[in-house]
Amino acid sequence: MELLHLQAEVLEANLEIVRRGLVLHTFGNASGIDRETGLVAIKPSGVPYEQMTPTDMVICDLDGKIIEGRLKPSSDLDTHLELYRAFPAIGGVVHTHSEFATGWAQAGRSIPAFGTTHADYFYGPVPVTPELSAEEIEGDYVLNTGKAIVRRFCGLDPSAIPAVLVAGHAPFCWGKSVSDATHAAVIVEELAALALETLMINATAQPISEALRDRHHFRKHGPTATYGQR
Ligand SMILES: [Zn+2]
């Protein structure tokens, strides 16, 4: 993929999360990776969205070495890089502080799969990480946030569960491309709002059955998928 093409996609994702109301001020960032070259394009730090152009997207390698760009990369870069290193199937990462998903993250609760809307996109709850320790926070905090996410996914498939809530912080979402990651961020916010409404109506509501979860999830994902035009 041409770098400029990747930069344009990443810029578009950063603008889309603002248009979707998932980001206040500059509390959000999107990145994408070209797996052939291992180069990552990410939003620059603290630049007003209305002024950003594709070439403002900073290019770095998987070790965080800046390859191209005159601006500083997003301060969350090391979390993004840790996800790219640990999850080889993903091509984009989106981080927001969207209202409802952040509420669940602050409450330290995973979002239960209460309905088929959830099962269509996530195979099981949207997990929450454990809280970071004082050492993790005082040390390499941004990298340690990524490591906490990766540890939480031990035994989970990041392709079937394309987001996580970082405890006391907010969601990180991903996908095969940065536009898929943006889509996941929109969906997580919707699922977070729906789950809250579900519990407000019935505080003892239970997740959907495994049968209903599987019916919906595998309708859209995997070798037996039948959803859409083929
Ligand atoms: Zn954040």
Side-chain angles (χ1 to χ4, degrees):
M1 193 193 301
E2 265 193 51
L3 274 186
L4 189 59
H5 182 72
L6 180 66
Q7 287 171 307
E9 271 187 9
V10 168
L11 172 60
E12 171 55 25
N14 278 294
L15 298 177
E16 177 71 1
I17 55 180
V18 175
R19 286 195 293 262
R20 293 280 191 163
L22 303 180
V23 168
L24 267 182
H25 301 296
T26 55
F27 302 152
N29 40 69
S31 71
I33 185 169
D34 173 11
R35 286 290 181 185
E36 275 176 32
T37 58
L39 293 179
V40 173
I42 190 164
K43 186 175 93 94
S45 181
V47 175
Y49 285 86
E50 54 279 9
Q51 292 169 14
M52 284 193 295
T53 65
T55 52
D56 288 337
M57 302 302 114
V58 182
I59 302 284
C60 66
D61 67 15
L62 273 173
D63 297 321
K65 188 172 153 239
I66 307 295
I67 304 293
E68 218 178 287
R70 53 200 164 73
L71 299 167
K72 252 176 46 183
S74 160
S75 54
D76 288 322
L77 172 66
D78 285 345
T79 307
H80 290 239
L81 294 180
E82 182 63 14
L83 297 179
Y84 288 127
R85 289 189 293 256
F87 303 155
I90 68 172
V93 173
V94 167
H95 172 53
T96 79
H97 290 194
S98 63
E99 181 180 357
F100 288 96
T102 300
W104 284 85
Q106 292 185 172
R109 294 283 176 88
S110 58
I111 305 173
F114 282 131
T116 62
T117 320
H118 186 120
D120 280 341
Y121 293 96
F122 284 82
Y123 193 63
V126 180
V128 65
T129 66
E131 277 180 40
L132 269 66
S133 68
E135 292 74 38
E136 287 173 310
I137 295 165
E138 289 155 10
D140 205 338
Y141 168 63
V142 180
L143 175 64
N144 289 336
T145 297
K147 289 185 168 172
I149 295 170
V150 172
R151 276 199 307 276
R152 182 65 186 80
F153 269 73
C154 180
L156 296 178
D157 175 3
S159 299
I161 303 177
V164 70
L165 306 174
V166 174
H169 185 173
F172 279 83
C173 312
W174 50 80
K176 284 203 282 281
S177 64
V178 64
S179 81
D180 283 358
T182 306
H183 189 64
V186 172
I187 297 295
V188 165
E189 179 61 4
E190 178 67 13
L191 297 178
L194 284 172
L196 178 64
E197 286 176 352
T198 304
L199 290 173
M200 285 198 297
I201 296 164
N202 176 5
T204 60
Q206 295 299 310
I208 54 170
S209 68
E210 288 181 11
L212 190 56
R213 175 197 67 191
D214 287 2
R215 179 77 183 80
H216 273 266
H217 194 78
F218 296 120
R219 192 177 65 148
K220 283 199 169 183
H221 305 272
T224 56
T226 55
Y227 187 83
Q229 306 297 321
R230 271 159 207 276

